[in-house]
Amino acid sequence: MTTININPERINHLLKLYKLGKKEFLSLVSEGLKKQFTEEEVFRSEMKASLLKKIDKVFGKGLNYYIDPKQLREAKEESIFFRKDKFNADLNLASKKIVNQFEEEKISLSALSKLSDLTRDRVLPVYTVSNKPKEVATEMRKKIYPEFNYKKREFLKSLIAKFAEHNILVFEFVENWNKKEKVNINGFYLKPDTIVLKRNQKSFSREIFTLVHELGHYLLNEEEIDERINEDTPDYNSLSRIEKWCNDFAYFFLVGELDKTLAALPTATAHNDFHQDILDEIAMATNLSVFALYTRLLITEKISLGNYRKRCNEISESISEREAEEQRKHELEKLKALEEGRTIGGAAAKPLLSPLYVNAIQSAFYEGVITEAEFCKRLNIKADRIDYYLK
């Protein structure tokens, strides 16, 4: 049986990084087995290749990671998990791995940029929660609000490009539909200049709100990992000052002058149909969700909590019914295609790439810092598409 010599301290380092107890870790490594692995079997310098593969199934670092004899230390520069103890989310392991993945990507890109003589100095000021979020949002709209687009994905793309012009790097990740454990976060900000977003295919309005919420964290220079960006929660007063500030900033940044229209509305009741038509128009003109607009009415005491919950439930039910109908049509189309001997294809969703990221990879390639294979891998493209990215 093949055995491999490893550096057991690297496993201990990952346990500290992800704040995993040995008991929980052994349970994860032994998942699906009748007999659980022991500490003596796992925490040793030599083990079977099959066991090392099970360990790496938990962390996803690649087998070479455990073989490397280099000692690691708990450095604040390495991970937000060493910089902060608490987050606005009870992170599951899938989320911790995603955060670590993009922390490493951020560090790697920074190194490539230095080797390519690229600088990404901060150009936007740092604010505090004592600054009024509406005033900051008004100022930021003048600097980084893109040309409006009703197509929400395109608007999101243009926002990411505008951020890039001001040296703010945005990563978007797409989670596989068949992934066993789903991440329980929507977005996070990593110092000094990186925002990470989870693709929200069902609601680009929410993803847009998340992006601008994280921009708020960037402007405050306050790192955070958020489980749910609270654009549609009645528990607004339970949020921290920073979270309230970021939510208010995101709302004012996206709503712009149309906040005056919302502010002028009388109390929303059944008698005025809860301003449904007006809110639909504002949502269409701002790419805010109707949920977010009702939340703003609740915050400004323009709707009762009971009516707020009633409307949110009605909207959620309407969305669920529409999604169920779309799924039914898709299943019928699949059945029809099967009967006709056709296959319904569909390209897997790809994350949006920040121009800042693309430019850094291009520069690294031009300077000979990375190979053509590495260039294609980092941009997730085939070799025959390389010329398109080197124009």
Side-chain angles (χ1 to χ4, degrees), residues 52 55 108 110 131 154-155 199 207 235 296 299 306 330 349:
L52 186 58
I55 291 173
S108 173
S110 177
N131 294 111
E154 291 304 311
F155 182 68
R199 166 69 65 84
E207 188 175 348
D235 301 324
R296 187 53 45 175
I299 293 168
H330 181 67

Side-chain angles (χ1 to χ4, degrees), residues 17-19 79-92 94-100 102-103 173 183-191 194 196 210 213-214 217 222-230 242-243:
L17 180 67
Y18 293 137
K19 293 179 172 58
S79 176
I80 191 173
F81 297 132
F82 292 143
R83 294 192 293 272
K84 288 191 66 167
D85 294 322
K86 295 181 180 180
F87 304 98
N88 289 332
D90 185 12
L91 304 177
N92 58 19
S95 297
K96 291 176 182 177
K97 288 164 70 173
I98 281 288
V99 174
N100 183 244
F102 284 103
E103 188 90 63
F173 69 92
V183 300
N184 63 341
I185 53 177
N186 285 334
F188 50 96
Y189 161 59
L190 299 171
K191 289 182 179 180
T194 301
V196 182
T210 298
H213 175 102
E214 297 305 334
H217 280 289
E222 290 283 352
E223 283 186 301
E224 191 51 84
I225 303 174
D226 294 298
E227 182 171 359
R228 189 168 67 117
I229 306 304
N230 297 276
I242 289 175
E243 290 308 302

Side-chain angles (χ1 to χ4, degrees), residues 290-301:
V290 177
F291 284 115
L293 296 175
Y294 272 117
T295 298
R296 187 53 45 175
L297 289 181
L298 182 68
I299 293 168
T300 55
E301 300 181 345

